[in-house]
Amino acid sequence: MQNETLAVIGTGYVGLVTAACLADLGNQVIGIDRDHNKIARIMRGDMPIYEPGLGELVARAIASGRLRFTTDLSALRSADLVMLAVGTPSAGVDGAVDLSQVWSAIDDIAPNLAQDAIVIGKSTLPIGTGRKIAQRLQQLTGCSIQVASNPEFLREGQAIGDFMQPDRIIIGADSPGVSARIENLYRAQITAGTPVLSTTLESSELIKYAANAFLATKVAFINEISDLAEAVGADIGAISAGIGMDPRIGNRFLQPGPGYGGSCFPKDTLALAYAAREMGQPTQIVEATIRANLARGDKMLQKIIRAIGPVAGKNLAVLGLAFKAGTDDMRDAPALPILRGLLAAGAKLRAYDPKAGAVAAPLLPGLAVVDTAAQALGNADAAIILTEWQEFRDLTPADFVRQLQYPVVVDLRNLYAPAAMANGGVHYHSLGRTPCLPPATKAVRHG
Ligand SMILES: NC(=O)c1ccc[n+]([C@@H]2O[C@H](COP(=O)([O-])OP(=O)(O)OC[C@H]3O[C@@H](n4cnc5c(N)ncnc54)[C@H](O)[C@@H]3O)[C@@H](O)[C@H]2O)c1
């Protein structure tokens, strides 16, 4: 089959990566967003998000003539495939999904759709949404427009690699012909060995939620085991390695941390639990995962206070703000409740993140954002590590001892070897491991 002409509606994280990658693979792609500023920025090469390699990929695809951007919906008249990549955030705390972006996009695209176009849900859509989109399009256009589901599994920070070499491609559609058209978009990945699973619309939609809920549960589970390990003097590193050797468990996603965050796990677990309750099939495991993760922020706050003593008036260095390394995304970042708690308790916070400082600053009034790790650490009373950036992994015990006023480090990402930190003179507190105190150090002020 040949290359496709497609439109991607919504050029946020997923839409922009999808549009650029599909253009790079040889398709004619038009990225459409209602946000004029975003489109203007993308067109002048100023990426609205930080994602490694994205600026170069977009520039290359634009230069090839295969990628264009616009706010003008009439541009999609020529598109055979229309991918929806708009946001599907939580509507409220109960987990219901706010589908306003989806419905406004459907209303907007309907008058401009080619009759034989296929509309593909790339956004994470609640189970049943694909079918409702088909009904709505039927009402609006008077035609029976084919609707399919093709959920995206990319990880922020590795989005291009994940799109180009995915673990799997999931397609939900009512007809083999529609599935085949979507498979054709991914023929490079499929030729390279990526498996494809073609199924129904509902199954495809539920696969996405179930995958995220399972991963979130793995994170919440290892965090609980980590707390237990710490309480009994065991080592979470050994435990993760030991259980991860069982291929039924797998060795990934077994690192303890400050809780899962980001733009997907929190809202998708809530949405799955909500949908399950609505269907009279409550998911006790996912509900427990959500509760455990919500409690994590306060647990981390108490851990920091136990390690440092009362924080009122103390100068604390914060290394990392983004919900994970490799992105500037602050959506539901675990740093937010922890730092809000520290600020409310009277701590003075100087924070550095290689990419997320500007995004984080308005979310955390009172937080001083600085430009380097050294500026954050200089003369602080203790350091708190919140994101696993490589730049922080590269810090040595001597860096902390030299720069901090008191060499206390609370590491919520387990970036360092406890013995090396202690031998280097650092009072080191991490997760699921016994706190390591140096044989002889400068006095540490507690209280
Ligand atoms: N971010 C991720 O890592 C990730 C990974 C997998 C799946 N997803 C899913 O992909 C979807 C998109 O997520 P995102 O992080 O890219 O969201 P985002 O908020 O970054 O981007 C959404 C974009 O859609 C645009 N938009 C909204 N309504 C529009 C309309 N009517 N017409 C045109 N443009 C419109 C917005 O302006 C915005 O640019 C969500 O369903 C999300 O759950 C996200």
Side-chain angles (χ1 to χ4, degrees):
M1 280 212 249
Q2 46 185 298
N3 294 327
E4 299 279 3
T5 301
L6 65 130
V8 177
I9 312 294
T11 58
Y13 226 112
V14 165
L16 186 52
V17 170
T18 300
C21 289
L22 288 175
D24 201 53
L25 290 169
N27 302 287
Q28 283 295 331
V29 184
I30 177 132
I32 304 179
D33 204 289
R34 64 179 179 186
D35 181 338
H36 291 259
N37 280 337
K38 192 172 273 190
I39 291 294
R41 280 186 69 174
I42 297 169
M43 291 203 311
R44 57 173 191 267
D46 173 18
M47 293 301 106
I49 48 166
Y50 171 73
E51 180 62 38
L54 185 60
E56 296 82 341
L57 185 69
V58 168
R60 191 167 72 224
I62 290 176
S64 73
R66 289 195 299 272
L67 181 61
R68 290 184 297 135
F69 291 94
T70 183
T71 55
D72 177 6
L73 285 151
S74 66
L76 63 79
R77 289 209 173 108
S78 58
D80 302 321
L81 305 176
V82 178
M83 278 194 164
L84 285 180
V86 297
T88 51
S90 285
V93 284
D94 67 350
V97 178
D98 172 0
L99 287 173
S100 56
Q101 293 184 41
V102 172
W103 297 126
S104 75
I106 294 300
D107 289 354
D108 290 347
I109 66 173
N112 298 295
L113 271 184
Q115 251 191 32
D116 55 353
I118 300 171
V119 174
I120 304 165
K122 186 92 186 90
S123 300
T124 302
L125 297 174
I127 306 127
T129 308
R131 221 160 278 291
K132 287 184 193 151
I133 290 176
Q135 283 161 9
R136 178 90 188 130
L137 285 172
Q138 168 87 51
Q139 284 165 6
L140 293 171
T141 64
C143 310
S144 86
I145 305 276
Q146 299 272 15
V147 176
S149 159
N150 172 222
E152 181 51 55
F153 296 92
L154 62 77
R155 293 163 298 173
E156 296 184 4
Q158 303 159 71
I160 295 169
D162 283 350
F163 192 95
M164 293 301 206
Q165 294 109 35
D167 295 323
R168 78 295 211 186
I169 291 158
I170 304 292
I171 300 170
D174 284 339
S175 86
V178 169
S179 281
R181 288 291 293 283
I182 299 172
E183 267 187 42
N184 179 43
L185 284 178
Y186 298 104
R187 60 191 184 284
Q189 290 92 327
I190 295 166
T191 306
T194 300
V196 183
L197 189 140
S198 285
T199 180
T200 62
L201 270 174
E202 288 76 8
S203 299
S204 172
E205 290 165 345
L206 183 47
I207 284 169
K208 173 65 191 174
Y209 280 105
N212 274 358
F214 192 91
L215 291 171
T217 300
K218 214 171 171 187
V219 173
F221 177 82
I222 204 65
N223 282 341
E224 283 197 336
I225 298 297
S226 165
D227 292 347
L228 180 58
E230 205 170 311
V232 302
D235 175 358
I236 191 63
I239 295 161
S240 294
I243 63 175
M245 286 169 184
D246 183 334
R248 292 171 303 174
I249 295 174
N251 60 8
R252 292 165 73 189
F253 257 62
L254 290 178
Q255 288 74 40
Y260 60 76
S263 70
C264 292
F265 288 3
K267 79 169 175 66
D268 291 348
T269 44
L270 280 168
L272 179 58
Y274 175 84
R277 282 195 307 274
E278 290 288 293
M279 297 306 292
Q281 301 291 339
T283 54
Q284 307 211 29
I285 292 170
V286 182
E287 302 270 7
T289 292
I290 294 166
R291 275 198 306 279
N293 198 61
L294 277 178
R296 192 84 186 142
D298 193 52
K299 230 174 194 180
M300 295 296 97
L301 184 61
Q302 298 315 322
K303 181 181 176 74
I304 292 167
I305 293 171
R306 269 198 314 280
I308 299 176
V311 295
K314 282 196 180 140
N315 291 308
L316 304 180
V318 177
L319 297 186
L321 294 163
F323 86 94
K324 66 172 182 177
T327 179
D328 61 356
D329 203 334
M330 285 298 298
R331 288 179 280 187
D332 276 323
L336 292 170
I338 297 171
L339 298 183
R340 285 187 185 126
L342 288 171
L343 288 165
K348 296 186 210 144
L349 304 181
R350 242 176 7 234
Y352 166 66
D353 185 287
K355 297 292 170 194
V359 185
L363 305 174
L364 291 160
L367 176 85
V369 174
V370 295
D371 295 330
T372 63
Q375 285 171 9
L377 291 170
N379 240 13
D381 292 308
I384 302 162
I385 319 269
L386 289 176
T387 313
E388 72 283 20
W389 288 98
Q390 184 60 42
E391 181 178 342
F392 304 151
R393 286 185 202 278
D394 293 341
L395 292 171
T396 64
D399 292 322
F400 290 111
V401 170
R402 196 180 62 251
Q403 296 178 88
L404 290 170
Q405 183 160 23
Y406 300 98
V408 180
V409 174
V410 186
D411 174 8
L412 303 184
R413 296 290 186 170
N414 285 8
L415 300 189
Y416 314 106
M421 290 292 266
N423 291 335
V426 175
H427 288 240
Y428 183 57
H429 304 261
S430 55
L431 296 174
R433 309 186 289 193
T434 313
C436 254
L437 304 181
T441 54
K442 304 192 219 178
V444 172
R445 187 182 60 175
H446 282 287

